[in-house]
Amino acid sequence: MPLLEIENLSVTFPSQTSDLYAVDGVSLTLERGDVLGIVGESGSGKSVAMLAVMGLVAFPGQVTADRLTFEGRDLLRLSDNERRALTGKDVAMIFQEPTTSLNPSFTIGYQLAETLILHEKMDRKAARRRTIELLDQVGIPAPEGRLDAYPHQLSGGMNQRVMIAMAIACNPKLLIADEPTTALDVTIQAQILDLLLSLQRDRGMALILITHNMGVVADTTARVAVMYAGQIMEERSTESLFGSPQHPYTAALLAARPEASDGGRLATIPGVVPGAYDRPRGCLFAPRCAYATPHAAECRPELRPWQNGLIRCHYPLGDTTRDERIAADRRAAPPAAAPEVA
Amino acid sequence: MVRFIFTRLSLVVPTFIGITLIVFVLVRLIPGDPIETMAGERGIDPARLAQLRHEYGFDQPVFVQYLYYLGRLFQGDLGRSIVTHEAVITEFKALFPATVELAVCSIIFALCLGLPAGIIAAVRRNSIFDHGVMGASLTGYSMPIFWWGLLLILLFSVQLGFTPVSGRISVMFYVESVTGFLLVDTLLVGDYDAFRSALAHLILPTIVLGTRPLAVIARMTRSSMLEVLGEDYIRTARAKGLPAYRVIAVHALRNALIPVVTVIGLQVGVLFTGAILTETIFSWPGVGKWLIEGINRRDYPVLQGGTLIIGAIIMIINLLVDVTYGLINPRIRYQR
Ligand SMILES: Nc1ncnc2c1ncn2[C@@H]1O[C@H](COP(=O)(O)OP(=O)(O)O)[C@@H](O)[C@H]1O
Ligand SMILES: [Mg+2]
């Protein structure tokens, strides 16, 4: 049984004029101990999708899914109490801004012990002892002295270590790290990533690493899902995704990496992610895609198996017949039909 | 922290001198002086008037009178009432507990209703409850105290006969003053009928005086809570799996209270102003009513002394509020 199964997960934020599809039909499967990267431009729905898994999508967000299970348990059917017994214990999450993610009015020690007392039913003394161990494990020097410190007295990197300690306090089976290094100094970023990966290895927990940095994904994860405008566009092993990207969007993302530049100008992807009002009827990437055809603009591609992975594209880059089909589709409807928006 | 308190204390002396000067000049701007006012309609023989004025020193230039006044003040002498010849400080001490009892009950009333109302309104924002609380607090805030007091008296005392109209306690009870707070003193001697009477007398004045602080506290709690509920650390608290009541009552409230405490502190000054009106409406024998009578009789020493003591008390309370603020907000504590 997979650890986490997500099928056709959608999160919408209703508004008077037109609902915003923050997440639109995301499907993912994660086995125990897997390390999965989720990449995509900001606003592509990475955070909201994972908040939905945590049960933290705030009102008025609406979460729907054909299937959302953790260890076979249907998360959408659990009572509030049962769901809360899982969150923070078996599934934990850390966030982008460590300093604002910790409560400024309580000490580090209090905030850490709180989780232990809640889920592990420890008394204060035992929780305090365990808190010191945890702080030590995440590489905070002289942990006893830090228990009574407030978040504003620690650096961002230290606070992120505290957040990690809090997340792993109850030995979660899945840790979701939402851009854990984006807000940190470059020198600290690598340390935090190393810490996360070593904890993942030692404890055999599954890790979902959200990032918009392709470089981070390449170094850390075994599998990657590429998200765009609330949808997964491509998912496959990191090696094969970087070796031969199949989706034009993935290829564009890779080309836009600073490492990929040959010293000349950086490649960019023209246009912007569609918002609530200009959501295309067909492929969501069509308005920015070099290979868009009238057919792609009209007809939304399904996420389908492709070369040991999944893809949501009419014309995958590795498809030998794609040039012919693009040409045929462009001929079928004369070029007058510019990519249309719904 | 200690340095902070000293910095604040060093501001006290100039503020004090400012108060004495303003009050001293203002009371003398009211037409008529105490001697004329006491003589009343019948008038007074001009020679006698001049003699009395000379006795009290009112024939000297205001500036000289002020210096004499300051001089006595620095020896700790607030003077005596021109009407009763009782020392101002003695009169104040006798009346102050009544005002404190009323003010404390009003603040407790405002807190007990305002905090929960504000919290629930924020958690259920845009609900009927939220709109109701906001509407009611706007109404409560804009209600003139005089009108509101008379309205309640008409309804509850006159029409329904639920509560007494005026005073602190029914005349049939005599309670030995220990603390000066009737609710406490009646319980100390175990006279429960007297306690009930004192409580019944307190209800309407408490509501009238507490309405404005209640409105302010409810609105402030709501807006502060709304802001805090959107913070990242609230998401963290929920991600830990904490039950909703803990997220709200511990993680959110602790932070939301910081601005509310400041507002409560500022309400203390408002409370004294409100007490003057409320005590007059309900014939509540406190310092507010005393000051109004002082104005009517042009009792300069009472007005000067009373205002000065009240000013001092407000300053002390504001200082205490600032200290509390530092205690509940760790980010302030370490910056001093
Ligand atoms: N509480 C909310 N209300 C309305 N829209 C939201 C809310 N949270 C997120 N969104 C929208 O959902 C989309 C996806 O956001 P997010 O998941 O944070 O993107 P990412 O993490 O990939 O940068 C964005 O367009 C964002 O504006
Ligand atoms: Mg995000």
Side-chain angles (χ1 to χ4, degrees):
Chain A
M1 185 202 310
L3 182 68
L4 177 72
E5 269 187 290
I6 307 174
E7 243 179 73
N8 200 17
L9 171 75
S10 293
V11 182
T12 51
F13 290 99
S15 84
Q16 260 121 24
T17 41
S18 123
D19 293 357
L20 171 68
Y21 279 84
V23 178
D24 186 359
V26 161
S27 301
L28 277 176
T29 306
L30 205 69
E31 301 291 339
R32 274 158 219 284
D34 271 3
V35 180
L36 171 73
I38 301 182
V39 291
E41 287 166 273
S42 60
S44 53
K46 309 181 295 289
S47 301
V48 173
M50 288 306 115
L51 287 173
V53 171
M54 293 289 288
L56 294 180
V57 171
F59 182 83
Q62 302 256 321
V63 180
T64 57
D66 293 344
R67 195 175 164 77
L68 183 58
T69 61
F70 184 79
E71 296 189 299
R73 298 172 73 188
D74 186 346
L75 293 179
L76 296 177
R77 295 257 162 98
L78 293 183
S79 73
D80 270 6
N81 281 337
E82 291 168 327
R83 184 90 192 250
R84 272 206 315 274
L86 280 180
T87 10
K89 184 172 192 298
D90 292 337
V91 196
M93 187 161 178
I94 61 172
F95 304 97
Q96 181 168 343
E97 292 283 345
T99 304
T100 56
S101 292
L102 288 163
N103 194 320
S105 292
F106 294 96
T107 60
I108 304 297
Y110 179 92
Q111 299 187 55
L112 263 163
E114 193 180 28
T115 312
L116 294 166
I117 293 167
L118 175 76
H119 291 296
E120 308 286 340
K121 311 281 173 270
M122 286 189 188
D123 58 28
R124 288 215 162 272
K125 259 222 190 103
R128 194 177 164 87
R129 243 177 291 127
R130 179 90 182 101
T131 300
I132 296 175
E133 284 171 25
L134 283 166
L135 288 178
D136 190 50
Q137 281 174 28
V138 297
I140 292 187
E144 295 90 347
R146 303 299 172 113
L147 287 185
D148 296 322
Y150 288 90
H152 71 270
Q153 296 169 295
L154 302 184
S155 66
M158 280 296 157
N159 278 330
Q160 194 59 297
R161 286 176 195 267
V162 172
M163 284 295 291
I164 294 172
M166 205 145 86
I168 61 164
C170 304
N171 296 310
K173 296 169 181 144
L174 169 62
L175 175 62
I176 302 171
D178 186 355
E179 314 226 9
T181 58
T182 307
L184 304 177
D185 289 348
V186 185
T187 46
I188 313 290
Q189 287 184 359
Q191 293 178 14
I192 295 288
L193 282 175
D194 284 348
L195 172 65
L196 279 173
L197 288 172
S198 76
L199 287 169
Q200 183 275 329
R201 267 194 312 272
D202 297 349
R203 291 158 177 256
M205 65 183 177
L207 176 67
I208 296 181
L209 184 68
I210 302 178
T211 172
H212 59 240
N213 185 336
M214 283 301 228
V216 167
V217 173
D219 297 343
T220 51
T221 64
R223 208 150 54 91
V224 197
V226 178
M227 275 189 80
Y228 181 79
Q231 295 191 327
I232 291 186
M233 289 299 175
E234 178 168 12
E235 191 204 319
R236 65 184 60 251
S237 79
T238 311
E239 206 183 339
S240 119
L241 184 118
F242 276 79
S244 62
Q246 293 298 305
H247 198 290
Y249 178 58
T250 315
L253 275 184
L254 290 173
R257 279 180 306 162
E259 305 94 289
S261 104
D262 51 8
R265 293 184 51 177
L266 278 180
T268 56
I269 311 175
V272 291
V273 184
Y277 303 104
D278 54 357
R279 220 171 158 76
R281 205 169 13 219
C283 174
L284 294 177
F285 187 58
R288 302 171 72 184
C289 183
Y291 312 110
T293 63
H295 171 65
E298 267 315 305
C299 175
R300 176 104 28 110
E302 294 293 316
L303 189 65
R304 59 186 166 110
W306 176 258
Q307 293 193 357
N308 294 322
L310 297 168
I311 197 159
R312 193 191 283 275
C313 178
H314 294 297
Y315 320 106
L317 295 177
D319 185 347
T320 45
T321 64
R322 69 189 294 269
D323 290 344
E324 286 162 43
R325 286 194 295 113
I326 291 173
D329 285 342
R330 283 189 174 154
R331 265 195 313 275
E340 198 176 324
V341 289
Chain B
M1 191 88 231
V2 175
R3 248 189 64 199
F4 166 69
I5 294 176
F6 272 108
T7 324
R8 289 291 303 267
L9 282 180
S10 65
L11 291 174
V12 164
V13 175
T15 316
F16 255 32
I17 297 191
I19 294 178
T20 58
L21 188 63
I22 291 170
V23 175
F24 198 88
V25 172
L26 278 184
V27 296
R28 277 161 182 76
L29 285 180
I30 316 173
D33 67 22
I35 318 280
E36 271 175 26
T37 314
M38 261 193 289
E41 300 272 292
R42 281 176 298 135
I44 188 170
D45 158 43
R48 175 88 181 117
L49 178 67
Q51 185 207 340
L52 278 173
R53 279 203 171 138
H54 179 71
E55 258 174 47
Y56 283 101
F58 295 145
D59 55 346
Q60 289 178 1
V62 173
F63 177 67
V64 178
Q65 291 182 39
Y66 179 66
L67 287 185
Y68 273 120
Y69 168 62
L70 267 194
R72 282 197 301 273
L73 201 59
F74 278 113
Q75 294 160 27
D77 180 9
L78 284 171
R80 289 177 175 276
S81 160
I82 294 176
V83 181
T84 63
H85 300 288
E86 188 76 62
V88 168
I89 189 75
T90 317
E91 289 203 337
F92 184 89
K93 270 192 208 148
L95 297 169
F96 191 53
T99 300
V100 172
E101 189 167 41
L102 177 58
V104 168
C105 287
S106 302
I107 274 290
I108 292 175
F109 163 79
L111 283 175
C112 287
L113 288 183
L115 284 180
I119 294 169
I120 298 172
V123 173
R124 307 218 175 294
R125 67 174 158 283
N126 289 328
S127 65
I128 296 178
F129 182 87
D130 182 20
H131 293 306
V133 166
M134 286 306 96
S137 72
L138 191 62
T139 317
Y141 187 78
S142 339
M143 201 110 68
I145 285 189
F146 249 113
W147 184 76
W148 179 220
L150 292 177
L151 202 72
L152 288 180
I153 290 179
L154 274 181
L155 181 63
F156 289 102
S157 307
V158 180
Q159 294 285 331
L160 298 171
F162 285 167
T163 53
V165 182
S166 67
R168 281 181 88 188
I169 192 165
S170 165
V171 284
M172 55 191 274
F173 299 106
Y174 173 75
V175 183
E176 191 73 45
S177 174
V178 183
T179 59
F181 306 121
L182 280 181
L183 287 184
V184 181
D185 289 350
T186 50
L187 287 182
L188 283 181
V189 295
D191 189 341
Y192 296 109
D193 289 334
F195 176 77
R196 263 192 295 278
S197 170
L199 197 60
H201 280 80
L202 247 175
I203 293 175
L204 289 191
T206 295
I207 294 176
V208 169
L209 185 55
T211 298
R212 195 165 284 193
L214 165 61
V216 174
I217 289 172
R219 292 188 87 85
M220 192 66 211
T221 307
R222 176 184 180 271
S223 71
S224 163
M225 198 72 185
L226 271 183
E227 196 179 316
V228 166
L229 284 176
E231 295 283 350
D232 287 350
Y233 54 78
I234 297 301
R235 186 184 56 194
T236 308
R238 293 172 62 216
K240 282 178 177 179
L242 291 172
Y245 77 86
R246 249 193 96 80
V247 174
I248 291 164
V250 178
H251 283 264
L253 191 59
R254 175 72 173 265
N255 292 285
L257 276 185
I258 295 171
V260 176
V261 166
T262 318
V263 164
I264 295 172
L266 293 176
Q267 286 304 303
V268 173
V270 177
L271 220 54
F272 272 105
T273 339
I276 294 179
L277 292 174
T278 312
E279 290 181 1
T280 309
I281 305 169
F282 290 94
S283 300
W284 189 264
V287 293
K289 186 161 158 280
W290 177 61
L291 282 179
I292 290 285
E293 283 162 8
I295 294 176
N296 291 338
R297 295 168 177 165
R298 311 287 189 276
D299 199 338
Y300 294 164
V302 162
L303 290 176
Q304 286 157 193
T307 323
L308 199 60
I309 302 173
I310 290 176
I313 290 167
I314 292 178
M315 273 191 277
I316 291 170
I317 291 176
N318 281 344
L319 180 62
L320 287 179
V321 167
D322 282 347
V323 173
T324 319
Y325 189 88
L327 288 181
I328 60 172
N329 186 354
R331 277 168 295 184
I332 294 242
R333 219 182 307 166
Y334 290 89
Q335 282 163 10
R336 306 273 169 192

